[in-house]
Amino acid sequence: MEAINVYADRLPTAGITIGALKALDWVAPGQWENVVGFENMLSAYTGETDPGILQQVSDRSLALFADPGEGYQRALWIYQAVDSTDHKLGNVSLAHQLGARFSALKFLEKLTPNDEVTQTIDLTVKIVAELTAFTYVNGLPGDSIGDFVAALGQFEHDSLIRMAALVTFDGLLPLGPDFLDKVDSSLRGFSAGHLEGNQTFNALKSMIPGGDTLGQLGFIGQTFGSVSGWIGSFVQQHGLTPENIYESLKGRIDGLDGKMDVVAALIDTHTDYFAHTGTQSLCRSLMTRSLAEI
């Protein structure tokens, strides 16, 4: 893995990912600014202007990220892996929907997994991915669900907009307003085989506590059950609906049209919101920690 400044310098200033995230500004007003570039982040995240202090923070941040005893590299790998598999799952979801809607393409529906099952696993494994990255960054055991749930109420900036994107793009849009009930019901009926056929789970399974697949399914269910209260309150507090999210996206992304589940699949296929905001969150954590330690 390359140094964290390389990833920070590669972050885009425009594009579908940025448009999608900016479409959520009304959900978390003033919380997220698209700061890109390691040098820009140093000033923005520390509030410092002294070149000497900024250099010390930079050196310390780079050293912390490079240290294999710290969890920053593993957290970044998780954020990147989520988006990598998302692109593939988005294509699978689009194929399934085309097969369901057009008789000439009916064979696609038979060749692709049930879309609701796919979206349920995608959403819940992403929640576990966020939990796991959180534990790595904060030096906690991987099964620290209680610590994660307690911290959710304090999430802000990049971390908050990422959770807002997860709730809206991976919950509300593809699964509808009753997505929490749907996911809960689906998880209760899942077997280990449901997970073993899912790309997101297979990409991240080595990071998920629980031992074997059945134990990991139990951990995923436990995590979702613990986080669903926060998610439900977040949706209610901000008045989130598939319709207002869809309209907000249309206002930010040119040419976006179609049914909501198709739009959700397109977001999966064409955005890197996990890796983008994840890189920003890690840089913020590294820099604020380094400033406190120098």
Side-chain angles (χ1 to χ4, degrees):
M1 182 167 278
E2 297 178 273
I4 188 63
N5 61 315
V6 175
Y7 298 103
D9 290 341
R10 287 178 184 162
L11 294 178
T13 58
I16 295 180
T17 296
I18 309 309
L21 289 169
K22 286 184 175 179
L24 298 178
D25 184 66
W26 65 275
V27 179
Q31 283 290 323
W32 180 72
E33 181 182 356
N34 187 34
V35 182
V36 301
F38 196 72
E39 295 299 321
N40 293 330
M41 290 175 176
L42 283 168
S43 299
Y45 295 163
T46 66
E48 290 289 340
T49 57
D50 183 280
I53 293 177
L54 291 175
Q55 186 61 55
Q56 291 181 65
V57 171
S58 175
D59 293 343
R60 177 64 177 156
S61 296
L62 293 172
L64 283 171
F65 184 80
D67 186 349
E70 300 287 344
Y72 292 102
Q73 288 190 38
R74 283 168 288 179
L76 182 58
W77 181 88
I78 289 171
Y79 290 134
Q80 292 174 341
V82 165
D83 280 331
S84 177
T85 56
D86 240 13
H87 296 169
K88 299 172 185 176
L89 284 172
N91 286 323
V92 169
S93 180
L94 285 172
H96 186 89
Q97 291 161 35
L98 288 172
R101 288 170 185 162
F102 299 100
S103 58
L105 299 174
K106 204 70 177 176
F107 69 94
L108 289 174
E109 187 179 15
K110 297 178 181 178
L111 292 175
T112 55
N114 178 280
D115 198 46
E116 191 165 301
V117 169
T118 299
Q119 294 291 351
T120 293
I121 297 174
D122 187 39
L123 171 64
T124 53
V125 172
K126 279 180 179 176
I127 293 171
V128 172
E130 183 67 28
L131 158 67
T132 308
F134 171 84
T135 60
Y136 280 138
V137 169
N138 290 281
L140 298 168
D143 58 355
S144 300
I145 298 174
D147 292 309
F148 176 64
V149 173
L152 275 174
Q154 306 301 317
F155 269 24
E156 57 183 353
H157 308 309
D158 335 283
S159 296
L160 182 59
I161 204 73
R162 184 169 56 258
M163 287 300 296
L166 191 157
V167 170
T168 54
F169 301 157
D170 297 295
L172 276 167
L173 280 181
L175 294 170
D178 57 346
F179 74 99
L180 289 174
D181 291 335
K182 283 184 179 179
V183 170
D184 182 64
S185 177
S186 294
L187 284 175
R188 293 177 189 277
F190 279 178
S191 66
H194 286 93
L195 291 184
E196 290 165 352
N198 182 270
Q199 294 184 59
T200 305
F201 171 76
N202 286 323
L204 296 166
K205 64 183 298 182
S206 64
M207 301 286 185
I208 300 175
D212 59 12
T213 304
L214 194 60
Q216 291 172 317
L217 174 59
F219 181 79
I220 290 169
Q222 183 185 1
T223 302
F224 176 76
S226 298
V227 173
S228 60
W230 180 89
I231 293 176
S233 295
F234 187 82
V235 169
Q236 185 175 26
Q237 177 185 354
H238 297 285
L240 302 180
T241 67
E243 291 77 16
N244 58 30
I245 294 299
Y246 176 63
E247 290 302 319
S248 187
L249 283 168
K250 285 178 66 177
R252 287 287 186 175
I253 302 175
D254 293 338
L256 190 66
D257 203 0
K259 293 191 175 182
M260 292 181 199
D261 52 354
V262 175
V263 171
L266 289 170
I267 294 293
D268 275 348
T269 306
H270 294 292
T271 68
D272 296 300
Y273 81 82
F274 239 77
H276 188 96
T277 62
T279 301
Q280 291 172 328
S281 292
L282 292 178
C283 286
R284 185 185 297 275
S285 174
L286 284 162
M287 291 169 183
T288 53
R289 174 181 168 181
S290 296
L291 180 64
E293 292 179 353
I294 61 173

